[in-house]
Amino acid sequence: MATMTKQQIGGILARQGILIAFAVFMIAFTFANPKFLSVDNVLSVVRSSAILGVMALGVTFVVIGGNLDLSVGSMMSFSTIVVLDLHDSIGPFLAIPAMFAMTLCLGAFIGFLVGYLRLNSLIVTLGMLSAIHGLTLTYSGGKNMDIADKEGTWFSVFGQGTALGIPVPILMFIALAAFLGIVLAKTAFGRKVYAVGGNGTAATFSGIRRARTVFLCYLLSSGCVATAGLMQASRSLGSQNTVGQGLELGVLAAVILGGASLLGGSGTIFKTVIGVLILGFIQNGLLLMGLQFYVQFVVTWVIIILAVWLDIAAKRGKLWSPLA
Amino acid sequence: MTDPVLRLENIVKTFPGVRALDGVSFSVMPGEVHALMGENGAGKSTSMKVLGGIYQPDSGDIFMGEKKVTMSGPLEAKSMGIVFIHQELSLAEELSVAENIYLGELPRKSFGRVDWARLADQTNAILKKLNVSFDAKTRVGDLSIANQQMVEIARALTVDAKAVIFDEPTASLTDAEKVVLFDVIADLKADGVGIIYISHRMEEIFKITDRISILRDGQYQGTVVTADTNEEAVTQMMIGRALDLSRNATHHDLGDVALEVRGLSCGKLYQDVSFEVRRGEVVGFYGLIGAGRTEIAETLFGLRDPSSGQILLDGQEVRLHSPADAIARGISLVPEDRKGQGLILGMSCRDNMTLPQVDTLKAGPFVAERAEIDIFDQYRARLDIRTPSWKTQAGNLSGGNQQKIVIGKWLSMQPKVLIVDEPTRGIDVGSKSEIHKLLRELAAQGYAVMIISSEMPEVLHVSDRIVAMYSGRIMRTFTSDEVTEDNLIQAISGIKSGQAA
């Protein structure tokens, strides 16, 4: 049929809406400010998205597995503060593995609560958001953490270095994305994550140990957070206790924007990377348009709502379907 | 002659790949209790969903009295005076009996305040009619299932019901509670309400109904006056002539005992269950829903810990604490709920099929996708699975093909014992007979097969022996020579052989 019904148009809009909206944004931004698509600006967007991006890679596993992780922002603050503190006390060689071990313990704890005790992941990670923040403040005594000798440490390489002319954070993001993309798409563990998030009961009936799978997702997510904390600490060589505050929403926005369903069972690492970039470009575009930095908090929320709505609308096949 | 309260005429309803209703017609007179009978999948619940406005028929008409009506949804059906008492209860457990009964239409005082006194009075008046032991203020969650059902019935009595549909109302009732229910039905009948009564229990059907309409494979088989017929004739109409042809007559040599269960109990679900399954043998488990069959299967698959008793595989006692344990020991379960337990609908056919063995199908650190495709192709050919590609999402296949994916998934594990629970529920007749044939072939190849089914012809057709269960206990085990529909129905209704008239 040549003419499409309203419902069909709605369905297409719902499925492709994010990409269409993104295209419109990009074109509008480029017209508003020709610098928007310059190499320098693009590199700067990717670079500033790398930390959030690394966190989003881990959260992708958690979300595909059917759970949420709202604790990644404050966990990243924790990693950053810890590694900066240990840098001066035990040196960077030991500080980095020690910080990873501590952060992984937090992830394991969350994984235990959600996977083995079967507590609701929203409640657990919302609580951990606050609890880890408290832990960080206790650790630091509330003070900012700074490396004493900022010039003389090789530690800055993770945040400030370049290799082959490309900033190290970008390389780390790309490498980790490639590695985790393969883990998710090609390994037995990745397959189980999809199964557990897609239909937990059927996964159990197939002999998959759900608790272990969920546990490993959180462990992996905390590993990504530790990496992000390392990049953050290395970039600034000093930090406030609140450096990661609010990042959890940006991370979640990127993951959902990429098309991972909040109901679990779908999404890919590649799509998450796209989501991260879309979010980065939109925030950057708003800055170039002269909007205040703080506007991005509102915009992030709007993007989450939009993405969730389109996700649900695509499933229902129509945009408007209120509770009957 | 009075007009029927409700009349269905030539209702046709198709789903992709299945003709669920194919010309269903029957009518209910005022003050009549009309039984609707048929096997699982015969179209009873689909008919009722059409009547309740949940499904729209492809063709055919519904009349209320003289008037042709269209049911656009459950609310409309209710407003016309059609009330459903469902098998699955739909009550808010945290609310009181009164609130549940009048939910959405609570009596009000000024400023929208609920008139609790009036609510309690109205409710207690209805409860009195039902002769129940609880009052309006009781929290529904504190009631037994039987009493919760009484609340549903009370809810039905608040509207001016013209027709009340009972769907397996006695499935969870004790004998004493049944008496109360039958009294309520008699009262409704005396008030001129038309009643549709759906049940598998012959005894009840012959006790309380006036006429019986029978469905088979979505087709209307006729309506008989209860007083003029008998159980045998009704069973014949339900099962059809295919019955005698379909009796399993293959007798090949049986192998060793693969699975033995001794005195297995699991709380109130089933007690003191003992049986064995040999290699090359299909053992059927027949009984009503709730007889404990699925729970036994779940125990054997490591999903429920038994409270006592032993499970032996090849003569060795085993303890199974998880499906992973059971799978490792060579037990496979094709579960009863295909979409809920069997498949991950958003996953590809191939990934679904190889899911239990992703840990062992390895190529270096990765899943060996080539080997997965080989396994999929092998079972696609063997089971004749019709799908455009292995990449197709399982949710996009027809019911029969979905079930074949699940069966393929477990066959590819090369199990010692294959348990299939309601393997043909909700799938079309063609796939049904293919699956029956397959189960026989598997036995011939030396698999030990357990089949749980609520469909008598299916059990009769594929089983070498049949275990009849009633209320958590094994009543009798039949060989295929000694079993008849009559003695099987008696056994699963709790009537000991020889006791029946």
Side-chain angles (χ1 to χ4, degrees):
Chain A
M1 261 197 287
T3 52
M4 287 195 292
T5 64
K6 226 164 115 186
Q7 240 186 45
Q8 281 172 313
I9 294 174
I12 290 173
L13 268 181
R15 274 190 300 278
Q16 308 297 341
I18 279 295
L19 284 178
I20 295 168
F22 181 54
V24 172
F25 260 116
M26 293 292 273
I27 292 166
F29 285 149
T30 311
F31 270 109
N33 191 335
K35 268 194 292 186
F36 184 61
L37 277 185
S38 68
V39 174
D40 273 355
N41 192 52
V42 168
L43 266 186
S44 120
V45 168
V46 179
R47 180 179 176 157
S48 62
S49 301
I51 290 177
L52 181 138
V54 165
M55 290 158 74
L57 299 176
V59 172
T60 301
F61 281 76
V62 174
V63 169
I64 292 175
N67 289 300
L68 284 176
D69 194 348
L70 295 179
S71 69
V72 291
S74 68
M75 199 188 288
M76 194 273 253
S77 305
F78 174 82
S79 307
T80 307
I81 293 295
V82 166
V83 80
L84 286 173
D85 177 60
L86 294 181
H87 179 278
D88 283 4
S89 55
I90 60 176
F93 267 120
L94 290 175
I96 294 170
M99 176 276 276
F100 264 83
M102 288 163 80
T103 311
L104 287 170
C105 282
L106 293 176
F109 182 57
I110 296 173
F112 173 76
L113 295 180
V114 177
Y116 289 92
L117 291 191
R118 297 166 63 184
L119 306 184
N120 179 288
S121 68
L122 179 70
I123 302 301
V124 167
T125 59
L126 197 58
M128 285 300 277
L129 185 160
S130 170
I132 296 174
H133 185 52
L135 195 64
T136 310
L137 288 170
T138 311
Y139 183 92
S140 69
K143 295 191 299 283
N144 291 351
M145 206 60 81
D146 278 288
I147 286 177
D149 179 13
K150 293 192 180 183
E151 304 302 319
T153 179
W154 56 267
F155 182 75
S156 62
V157 65
F158 305 109
Q160 302 172 12
T162 57
L164 311 166
I166 302 169
V168 172
I170 295 183
L171 292 175
M172 286 175 73
F173 178 42
I174 292 173
L176 203 57
F179 173 68
L180 291 180
I182 289 170
V183 168
L184 184 60
K186 298 290 176 191
T187 67
F189 169 66
R191 193 70 67 76
K192 290 181 201 169
V193 173
Y194 282 107
V196 165
N199 181 349
T201 309
T204 300
F205 272 81
S206 297
I208 290 173
R209 298 182 195 275
R210 265 159 88 184
R212 182 189 292 177
T213 308
V214 167
F215 175 86
L216 287 174
C217 284
Y218 279 105
L219 195 65
L220 193 149
S221 177
S222 66
C224 288
V225 170
T227 310
L230 174 66
M231 289 156 74
Q232 176 64 41
S234 165
R235 181 163 86 177
S236 53
L237 300 178
S239 175
Q240 297 178 334
N241 291 287
T242 53
V243 60
Q245 202 172 51
L247 275 183
E248 57 281 340
L249 281 191
V251 165
L252 204 57
V255 172
I256 302 167
L257 210 51
S261 166
L262 274 188
L263 303 173
S266 71
T268 65
I269 288 292
F270 178 73
K271 285 179 175 172
T272 291
V273 171
I274 299 293
V276 168
L277 295 180
I278 291 178
L279 196 67
F281 276 111
I282 288 175
Q283 289 177 351
N284 171 264
L286 294 174
L287 282 179
L288 287 186
M289 275 169 68
L291 285 163
Q292 273 198 29
F293 172 75
Y294 306 111
V295 174
Q296 68 157 293
F297 294 116
V298 180
V299 171
T300 308
W301 177 82
V302 170
I303 290 171
I304 292 181
I305 296 299
L306 202 64
V308 170
W309 178 34
L310 292 173
D311 173 41
I312 293 291
K315 287 216 173 63
R316 296 184 186 135
K318 45 184 165 179
L319 289 167
W320 179 249
S321 54
L323 286 172
Chain B
M1 199 179 154
T2 46
D3 283 326
V5 211
L6 191 65
R7 186 154 63 90
L8 272 70
E9 204 167 277
N10 232 347
I11 301 283
V12 174
K13 174 74 191 170
T14 52
F15 296 107
V18 191
R19 206 169 175 86
L21 297 181
D22 192 2
V24 170
S25 310
F26 66 91
S27 59
V28 185
M29 306 301 289
E32 180 194 27
V33 181
H34 193 114
L36 191 58
M37 294 196 77
E39 300 177 79
N40 292 343
K44 290 170 306 195
S45 24
T46 313
S47 304
M48 291 307 105
K49 282 179 178 159
V50 167
L51 200 51
I54 295 165
Y55 293 155
Q56 299 303 317
D58 300 345
S59 66
D61 299 311
I62 303 172
F63 294 87
M64 290 209 63
E66 297 263 273
K67 220 176 85 206
K68 186 177 150 183
V69 294
T70 319
M71 302 292 177
S72 61
L75 286 177
E76 187 156 15
K78 193 177 173 190
S79 73
M80 289 186 208
I82 301 180
V83 178
F84 290 84
I85 313 288
H86 291 286
Q87 200 176 346
E88 296 108 33
L89 303 168
S90 52
L91 297 170
E93 297 203 339
E94 294 303 325
L95 298 183
S96 70
V97 169
E99 287 167 296
N100 265 287
I101 292 175
Y102 285 99
L103 202 61
E105 14 192 286
L106 296 170
R108 298 296 170 89
K109 296 193 287 192
S110 55
F111 300 110
R113 290 171 301 151
V114 173
D115 189 342
W116 294 107
R118 194 144 63 91
L119 176 65
D121 287 347
Q122 287 178 0
T123 309
N124 284 328
I126 292 174
L127 293 180
K128 206 173 163 198
K129 262 202 255 178
L130 292 174
N131 195 20
V132 292
S133 58
F134 52 90
D135 72 0
K137 295 208 169 93
T138 317
R139 183 179 158 270
V140 162
D142 294 334
L143 296 175
S144 68
I145 300 290
N147 279 331
Q148 290 187 8
Q149 194 157 23
M150 286 298 167
V151 175
E152 287 252 343
I153 293 170
R155 187 151 72 182
L157 296 180
T158 63
V159 298
D160 183 19
K162 293 198 173 60
V164 179
I165 292 116
F166 289 90
D167 188 358
E168 294 276 2
T170 56
S172 47
L173 299 191
T174 63
D175 286 344
E177 290 161 342
K178 276 183 207 166
V179 172
V180 177
L181 176 70
F182 294 160
D183 284 348
V184 171
I185 291 175
D187 286 349
L188 287 171
K189 193 175 150 148
D191 291 344
V193 176
I195 292 159
I196 298 178
Y197 191 89
I198 299 174
S199 176
H200 284 105
R201 305 189 186 205
M202 289 282 183
E203 186 196 323
E204 291 168 12
I205 298 282
F206 280 87
K207 191 166 163 190
I208 69 164
T209 69
D210 300 304
R211 288 194 297 162
I212 306 173
S213 287
I214 293 132
L215 302 180
R216 181 170 78 225
D217 291 336
Q219 288 173 335
Y220 172 64
Q221 301 295 314
T223 299
V224 291
V225 176
T226 311
D228 299 346
T229 186
N230 57 33
E231 296 188 11
E232 204 168 289
V234 171
T235 311
Q236 192 67 34
M237 284 174 85
M238 279 166 59
I239 298 172
R241 63 180 164 73
L243 178 69
D244 290 345
L245 299 174
S246 67
R247 231 11 137 63
N248 161 41
T250 8
H251 284 287
H252 43 262
D253 292 334
L254 297 183
D256 301 333
V257 175
L259 170 72
E260 187 182 353
V261 168
R262 285 189 199 150
L264 202 66
S265 300
C266 183
K268 287 181 181 166
L269 296 170
Y270 58 84
Q271 298 86 37
D272 197 23
V273 166
S274 300
F275 61 89
E276 55 180 47
V277 186
R278 292 175 174 275
R279 287 182 203 289
E281 184 182 41
V282 180
V283 178
F285 283 71
Y286 189 62
L288 296 170
I289 288 160
R293 298 165 301 157
T294 295
E295 290 76 11
I296 292 173
E298 287 174 354
T299 305
L300 293 174
F301 197 56
L303 288 159
R304 277 177 201 280
D305 284 334
S307 42
S308 63
Q310 292 175 299
I311 301 168
L312 292 90
L313 278 172
D314 289 334
Q316 296 280 316
E317 185 175 357
V318 291
R319 293 187 181 280
L320 308 164
H321 297 296
S322 71
D325 284 352
I327 292 166
R329 306 270 186 184
I331 298 177
S332 283
L333 170 68
V334 174
E336 90 186 301
D337 178 359
R338 181 172 65 242
K339 292 181 179 173
Q341 303 166 334
L343 290 170
I344 291 150
L345 296 175
M347 248 188 184
S348 72
C349 293
R350 180 200 71 179
D351 292 3
N352 265 293
M353 195 180 272
T354 55
L355 195 56
Q357 47 183 329
V358 277
D359 275 323
T360 46
L361 280 177
K362 285 233 161 122
F366 305 124
V367 180
E369 297 194 42
R370 193 62 244 170
E372 286 188 285
I373 294 172
D374 289 345
I375 290 173
F376 179 78
D377 284 343
Q378 185 190 338
Y379 286 93
R380 168 152 77 171
R382 176 158 173 204
L383 305 177
D384 191 25
I385 299 170
R386 288 182 206 142
T387 164
S389 140
W390 61 260
K391 293 178 187 138
T392 309
Q393 288 189 1
N396 293 335
L397 299 188
S398 73
N401 282 307
Q402 286 183 352
Q403 186 68 310
K404 287 179 187 173
I405 299 270
V406 183
I407 293 175
K409 157 166 144 179
W410 291 112
L411 285 187
S412 69
M413 298 300 291
Q414 315 284 348
K416 278 189 203 125
V417 179
L418 179 68
I419 307 170
V420 293
D421 193 354
E422 302 288 359
T424 63
R425 179 182 284 172
I427 68 181
D428 60 287
V429 183
S431 303
K432 228 178 200 178
S433 68
E434 285 177 49
I435 288 174
H436 291 161
K437 206 172 126 221
L438 176 76
L439 292 173
R440 291 306 316 164
E441 283 170 15
L442 292 173
Q445 288 160 18
Y447 286 91
V449 181
M450 259 176 81
I451 175 172
I452 295 166
S453 175
S454 300
E455 295 185 37
M456 195 193 286
E458 177 163 281
V459 172
L460 290 172
H461 175 38
V462 300
S463 312
D464 295 298
R465 285 187 300 132
I466 297 172
V467 174
M469 290 197 65
Y470 172 76
S471 182
R473 288 183 182 277
I474 292 181
M475 300 303 285
R476 194 176 158 187
T477 301
F478 298 92
T479 65
S480 61
D481 300 328
E482 56 192 25
V483 68
T484 66
E485 299 95 77
D486 276 351
N487 59 23
L488 192 51
I489 283 188
Q490 281 169 6
I492 65 148
S493 314
I495 305 167
K496 288 248 169 28
S497 52
Q499 232 172 282

